Amino acid sequence: MQPAYPGIPLTFAIGLAGLILACGQNDTVPESAASEPAGGAITLWTDSTELFMEHPALIVDRPDKFAVHLTDLTDFAPLRSGRITLRFDPRGGGEPLVVSQNAPRAPGIYGPSPEFTRPGVYDLTIVVESPQARDTLRIPALRVYATVDEAPRETGEAPGGIGFLKEQQWKTAGFATAFATTDSVTETIQTTAAIVPAAGRMARVAAPVAGLIEASGVEDAPVPGQRVAQGQSLAVLSPALGEAGSTLSRAWAELREAEDEHARAKRLVEAEAAPARRLHEAQIRLTAARDALTGVQGSGSARPDGRLLLRAPIAGTIATRTLTPGSRVEAGTELFTIVDASVVWLQVNMPAAEALEVSRRSGASFRVAGGERVYSTSRMVSAGSIVDSISRTVPMLYQIENRDGSLKIGMYAQVAVGTGRRKVGVVIPGSAVLSEDGRSVAYVQVEGERFEKRELVLGAVGGHATLVLSGIRAGERVVTGAAYQVRLASLSTAVPAQGHEH
């Protein structure tokens, strides 16, 4: 398989000091090291495999061990089994040098030792045959020297950057990298929001009149988190004597009188003993009596014995319950809150300066505080027309289907609202961008075990992708998962204890 970005040159880290740093040894280089032949390091990515290969100076009749590190890019784990074959083809023609190794010496690390019989320039092909990955990697122009004296010497200068060994990468949960690409991003506006009830999907059940909460009703009353059906009994209230209680009793009595009068008028009209107008007047009185009783009892239903049965006005889940058996409550005291959260609204605090960039066709995606899941809105419900004088924001409402109930009323969210405009440039995954001291940064993998921190100037942000105006070039490899661990490595001066398991 060809590299995923064939136009990107291989990364060569030439110098013994670079090898010592990559292998987790001391950063200082002995003076005698400058007289040693220079080895090299090669990093190469394909669609499925990452190669990081360290090799000694290539000299005729001096076999030495390579350190071939292979990573499965589907999960960034080391190759734990499988055969690799290294084929060195001389550019001047002749028999190739072929060496193989049937299994890694340690997870992810192979150590073949090729022995060259003649100098020259060789093109290397590495064939990987593993249950985890099957791949072909090509490294051009490796030079083999006739003698030690002809080989270039180490300079003794250690490379800069952040050292983070392959063993550390493989053992870090969630570690991942990706190429920066040239692409387009749909611009979004980043702001805050909150989850609120949708219209008609939240109800507060209050005592319509003053009275006592009956203990018998409390025992069967639903508790927070319990689902209730519309019309389900919640509690029983005995109206107190006095104005409120007498009002309910009077309303109930007037209803019974209106029902009796309506039944009598109906019989007389059917017997042609009274004009039809009498039945019409009785019907009007009956309707008025029912409306009056409904106004007094609220969401409850009055019983002939004078007690008031409180019922759920909507179907949903009990959010709050404030009941004490035998306690006296005043008219208007809230007893239950019921929420139907199968559909909720996202109330977005849109900065006034950017509100004109948003239309009713603008979609939005968001994450709730402390969560990683990305949610999408189904439609915009409304956009406010008044700017808040303190926050200088305009409220906008989006509808969200919430059938799994994962979104809770009152949650805060970070939201990205699309503007519909597309911007073209260098694009990296949004997960690669970190905030450090108010600046946007990312960590770039310049070689297999060497990283650099880059300060970024960001452009459009869209969904999972971010446009970078400066700081990263297309084709560079950025850390997209566990970047914080690389940051910690940059702050530490200690050498990792494990080193390479060569």
Side-chain angles (χ1 to χ4, degrees):
M1 181 180 294
Q2 294 295 328
Y5 291 81
I8 302 170
L10 302 180
T11 305
F12 289 86
I14 306 298
L16 180 59
L19 295 178
I20 291 175
L21 177 64
C23 291
Q25 304 298 321
N26 294 329
D27 290 343
T28 58
V29 180
E31 292 182 4
S32 59
S35 63
E36 293 293 328
I42 299 168
T43 303
L44 174 64
W45 291 274
T46 70
D47 292 330
S48 59
T49 310
E50 177 192 316
L51 166 71
F52 173 56
M53 183 175 73
E54 300 166 302
H55 66 82
L58 305 180
I59 301 170
V60 171
D61 295 329
R62 285 191 57 171
D64 205 344
K65 184 173 65 176
F66 281 44
V68 180
H69 306 73
L70 290 169
T71 302
D72 179 1
L73 292 183
T74 60
D75 57 4
F76 292 87
L79 262 63
R80 301 186 179 277
S81 63
R83 173 188 177 92
I84 67 167
T85 301
L86 282 69
R87 177 188 174 101
F88 298 86
D89 290 296
R91 287 197 171 177
E95 288 295 321
L97 171 63
V98 180
V99 293
S100 298
Q101 188 172 335
N102 291 327
R105 296 166 55 91
I109 304 175
Y110 292 79
S113 299
E115 182 176 357
F116 295 91
T117 59
R118 61 189 178 118
V121 178
Y122 290 76
D123 294 324
L124 170 60
T125 301
I126 301 177
V127 178
V128 180
E129 300 172 286
S130 167
Q132 291 172 262
R134 303 182 70 85
D135 210 344
T136 300
L137 305 106
R138 295 179 174 86
I139 299 96
L142 293 178
R143 181 168 291 279
V144 177
Y145 298 93
T147 65
V148 173
D149 294 336
E150 293 180 11
R153 302 303 175 189
E154 293 289 354
T155 63
E157 297 179 359
I162 304 163
F164 196 56
L165 305 184
K166 297 308 298 182
E167 288 87 348
Q168 290 175 283
Q169 298 171 33
W170 292 332
K171 293 176 182 178
T172 300
F175 177 83
T177 64
F179 280 116
T181 62
T182 300
D183 205 342
S184 63
V185 173
T186 301
E187 186 180 43
T188 61
I189 299 169
Q190 307 291 313
T191 186
T192 59
I195 305 298
V196 299
R201 293 179 180 268
M202 181 174 181
R204 303 182 189 278
V205 179
V209 296
L212 298 178
I213 301 297
E214 292 200 359
S216 59
V218 173
E219 294 177 359
D220 299 326
V223 297
Q226 182 176 337
R227 286 199 59 82
V228 295
Q230 184 176 8
Q232 181 175 329
S233 173
L234 302 178
V236 178
L237 177 68
S238 293
L241 296 178
E243 183 178 349
S246 61
T247 299
L248 180 60
S249 299
R250 188 164 55 252
W252 184 255
E254 289 178 356
L255 175 62
R256 283 183 291 185
E257 289 180 5
E259 288 175 338
D260 291 343
E261 174 59 25
H262 182 269
R264 183 166 51 254
K266 184 178 181 181
R267 290 195 302 271
L268 292 174
V269 170
E270 289 176 349
E272 298 183 353
R277 179 169 55 84
R278 181 170 178 176
L279 178 60
H280 178 66
E281 291 172 349
Q283 180 64 52
I284 293 174
R285 181 183 175 188
L286 177 59
T287 301
R290 287 173 177 169
D291 292 343
L293 181 60
T294 300
V296 174
Q297 66 188 10
S299 60
S301 58
R303 302 200 299 199
D305 60 7
R307 293 186 300 171
L308 194 61
L309 188 62
L310 302 180
R311 298 184 182 276
I314 64 171
T317 301
I318 299 294
T320 63
R321 187 187 92 157
T322 54
L323 288 179
T324 302
S327 64
R328 175 185 170 84
V329 295
E330 298 299 325
T333 302
E334 185 176 304
L335 304 177
F336 294 90
T337 303
I338 305 172
V339 176
D340 176 8
S342 60
V343 175
V344 295
W345 283 353
L346 181 72
Q347 182 172 301
V348 177
N349 307 309
M350 181 60 61
E354 298 173 311
L356 294 177
E357 305 296 331
V358 180
S359 70
R360 284 193 171 272
R361 295 190 300 273
S362 300
S365 59
F366 64 96
R367 287 189 178 94
V368 296
E372 293 299 323
R373 178 177 171 183
V374 178
Y375 296 84
S376 296
T377 59
S378 57
R379 65 182 181 90
M380 178 186 282
V381 177
S382 66
S385 57
I386 299 177
V387 177
D388 185 276
S389 59
I390 298 176
S391 65
R392 306 306 299 170
T393 60
V394 176
M396 294 184 176
L397 293 174
Y398 289 84
Q399 184 166 299
I400 308 133
E401 300 295 327
N402 184 39
R403 302 196 184 283
D404 63 355
S406 58
L407 295 174
K408 311 300 181 185
I409 303 300
M411 279 182 166
Y412 289 100
Q414 190 69 31
V415 61
V417 180
T419 66
R421 295 194 301 265
R422 297 193 68 82
K423 304 286 186 178
V424 179
V426 177
V427 174
I428 63 175
S431 58
V433 181
L434 302 181
S435 179
E436 293 185 8
D437 301 323
R439 299 169 300 156
S440 296
V441 301
Y443 288 85
V444 175
Q445 187 179 14
V446 292
E447 293 177 359
E449 296 182 327
R450 189 162 65 89
F451 296 76
E452 290 180 356
K453 182 172 76 172
R454 304 278 184 83
E455 189 169 339
L456 309 178
V457 176
L458 302 181
V461 177
H464 300 285
T466 299
L467 191 72
V468 179
L469 301 180
S470 69
I472 292 176
R473 298 183 302 274
E476 291 190 300
R477 195 87 181 177
V478 295
V479 180
T480 60
Y484 187 72
Q485 300 302 319
V486 181
R487 179 175 183 270
L488 292 180
S490 72
L491 301 176
S492 175
T493 58
V495 176
Q498 70 269 30
H500 272 318
E501 301 173 8
H502 290 175

